[in-house]
Amino acid sequence: MSKTILIIGGYGVFGGKLADALSADPAFDVIVAGRSLSSAERFCEGKSCRPLLLDTAAPDLAAALARARPFIVVDASGPFQTRRDAPYRVAEAALACGAHYLDLSDDGAFTAGIDTLNDAAIERGLTVLSGVSSVPALSSAAVVQLAEGFTTIDHIESVILPGNRAPRGLSVVRAIVGQAGQPLPLWRAGRFESATGWGERRTITLDIPGEPPVRNRWASLIGAPDLTLFPQHFHARSVSFRAGLDLKLMHGGLALLSLPVRWGLIRNLSPLAPALKWMADRLEPFGSSTGGMRVSVSGRTGDG
């Protein structure tokens, strides 16, 4: 009997890729859920998945999930940075109906706070995981490998540099622009210091033999779960995370737009997200389809 995987936001960019991969396996019955039934229906046309209208803000969320009888609930809806009131209501509803829960959160506070559900999950024999994405899932796995044999870790830095033709959803754009110009707590030399989101720009090149190079990309500081989780988990003295846009016009433009936020003239750039996504979509043919990710760890081994 196939196991039911319910993906909230399953017709989005990342949720859609997950839905496509899972629906190709007959071991899974994939439900693509979200607030737009028409979008879910269009996504499921000609595929081995089925659509479901589901509003995560609805009072009857737990009952709606229970009717679907999922084995696993995956929340890929985002942005997780804006979930301040009852942030874990989806996870709680999943536990209530006896389902495992995963999400693709890229927000440090949200991901770190998921441990408040740990006891409830263990009591029910279920798993609750947050941040099952490039960060912190892949980046932490890389750190574990790189830090093997280290007695102390001085610095962990992760960098993500997507190509301009990589698909991007509105929730991802909101998550990025909402942090631009905002105060960003960074763990440096054993204590938290205040930096600025989309600040401290650097130029980075990723060159892997046999792969197209990613050359001279701008990368700036931005929030990620790594910043919250890694200092304690890996006992690192400093942790940083950077991201960069392929086109310098877009990267530098966002830096300029962030200045009024830094100066306290406006609260944030989130209201501009739809317009900025529209502009980014118009510029999609420019730049490249090549991107990359780098995780670096520096420290000291037992022999010095």
Side-chain angles (χ1 to χ4, degrees):
M1 182 177 178
S2 60
K3 296 185 181 297
T4 299
I5 313 294
L6 189 150
I7 305 175
I8 303 172
Y11 47 78
V13 174
F14 296 110
K17 290 185 177 298
L18 180 61
D20 282 339
L22 291 176
S23 60
D25 190 331
F28 302 113
D29 169 32
V30 178
I31 299 177
V32 172
R35 288 179 294 179
S36 173
L37 181 59
S38 60
S39 296
E41 289 174 336
R42 283 196 301 271
F43 180 88
C44 291
E45 288 179 3
K47 300 177 182 177
S48 298
C49 54
R50 49 195 174 100
L52 176 68
L53 176 64
L54 186 74
D55 185 354
T56 57
D60 63 344
L61 173 62
L65 282 181
R67 286 193 294 271
R69 303 180 68 181
F71 175 67
I72 298 176
V73 173
V74 180
D75 189 353
S77 56
F80 294 88
Q81 286 84 355
T82 61
R83 301 189 185 184
R84 296 295 176 250
D85 298 328
Y88 304 112
R89 65 190 320 268
V90 176
E92 291 166 346
L95 291 177
C97 71
H100 303 282
Y101 168 86
L102 311 173
D103 68 49
L104 306 186
S105 167
D106 57 355
D107 179 65
F110 183 96
T111 301
I114 200 72
D115 63 0
T116 59
L117 301 179
N118 189 56
D119 291 343
I122 291 174
E123 183 179 338
R124 292 170 171 82
L126 298 171
T127 297
V128 172
L129 293 175
S130 181
V132 187
S133 190
S134 302
V135 293
L138 294 182
S139 56
S140 63
V143 173
V144 169
Q145 289 290 319
L146 292 169
E148 187 174 350
F150 280 34
T151 55
T152 60
I153 296 178
D154 293 325
H155 186 208
I156 301 171
E157 181 176 69
S158 302
V159 180
I160 292 183
L161 304 171
N164 195 52
R165 298 173 193 171
R168 49 187 162 241
L170 182 57
S171 62
V172 172
V173 175
R174 279 203 175 102
I176 294 173
V177 303
Q179 296 185 58
Q182 299 283 357
L184 177 67
L186 276 190
W187 183 252
R188 284 173 165 166
R191 62 188 180 93
F192 279 105
E193 296 180 357
S194 181
T196 302
W198 216 246
E200 298 187 25
R201 187 182 71 212
R202 290 183 181 174
T203 301
I204 293 177
T205 292
L206 306 181
D207 201 349
I208 301 174
E211 300 292 339
V214 176
R215 295 193 183 282
N216 301 321
R217 296 274 183 92
W218 284 351
S220 298
L221 294 174
I222 198 161
D226 300 26
L227 303 181
T228 306
L229 301 173
F230 286 9
Q232 181 177 358
H233 185 78
F234 292 110
H235 306 290
R237 297 192 71 248
S238 298
V239 178
S240 58
F241 180 82
R242 296 176 184 274
L245 302 178
D246 187 357
L247 296 181
K248 288 182 171 60
L249 172 65
M250 293 172 58
H251 193 110
L254 183 57
L256 287 175
L257 287 173
S258 73
L259 292 178
V261 180
R262 294 185 64 174
W263 297 334
L265 301 178
I266 59 176
R267 179 177 295 181
N268 59 63
L269 297 177
S270 294
L272 297 180
L276 292 175
K277 182 183 182 305
W278 183 89
M279 294 173 62
D281 290 344
R282 306 286 83 74
L283 293 171
E284 183 179 332
F286 303 94
S288 74
S289 59
T290 303
M293 176 177 176
R294 183 184 74 187
V295 179
S296 60
V297 178
S298 62
R300 190 174 294 275
T301 61
D303 59 3

